[in-house]
Amino acid sequence: MAANGFRGPRQIWNAFRWSMKGLRAGWRHEASFRLEVCLAVVLVPLGLWLGNGPLEKIALVLPPVLVLSAELLNSAVEAVVDKVSPEFHELAGRAKDMGSAAVFLLLMMTALSWGLILAPRLFP
């Protein structure tokens, strides 16, 4: 629902609170999100340390963060689908599979980014 009134510090604070609520819900209810957070907690600092220059650092840090974002969106799609249609429906299954595929593609992008940047250093 769009806010029609003044958008000042209170609205910013509320948006922040809702975002934290979403992160807590992802952590509490989604095992995949917890696993990917653990992976990001390792990869983000490691990427900042191993990256040579700002572009490499971004190329190593951004993919794990995108994985977390996609996982939250995938979980949101799954929650809405389950709420709207608890029984199996082909379109509901397709929506869930496509969300999962988006997360998978970003995980592959993470592996590719890390491999392309770090492999030449490991295997000169």
Side-chain angles (χ1 to χ4, degrees):
M1 185 177 336
N4 295 326
F6 177 70
R7 295 185 62 87
R10 176 171 288 181
Q11 184 63 28
I12 293 168
W13 175 250
N14 286 338
F16 174 77
R17 284 183 29 236
W18 296 324
S19 296
M20 294 304 103
K21 188 176 179 182
L23 287 170
R24 276 192 306 274
W27 180 263
R28 271 193 200 129
H29 303 289
E30 299 297 329
S32 295
F33 182 71
R34 288 191 297 272
L35 180 63
E36 290 156 357
V37 166
C38 293
L39 186 65
V41 163
V42 172
L43 291 182
V44 168
L46 200 56
L48 291 172
W49 182 56
L50 292 175
N52 289 334
L55 292 180
E56 272 193 14
K57 289 178 190 298
I58 289 170
L60 292 172
V61 168
L62 186 60
V65 174
L66 290 176
V67 167
L68 295 176
S69 299
E71 185 63 51
L72 288 171
L73 290 170
N74 180 43
S75 297
V77 167
E78 289 181 352
V80 169
V81 166
D82 289 345
K83 171 72 174 161
V84 171
S85 178
E87 69 280 343
F88 177 78
H89 188 279
E90 180 183 347
L91 292 175
R94 190 182 313 161
K96 289 180 170 188
D97 291 346
M98 292 168 112
S100 179
V103 174
F104 174 76
L105 289 174
L106 286 169
L107 285 167
M108 293 301 100
M109 182 178 75
T110 301
L112 181 65
S113 295
W114 279 75
L116 289 173
I117 291 171
L118 298 179
R121 295 183 202 167
L122 297 173
F123 309 104

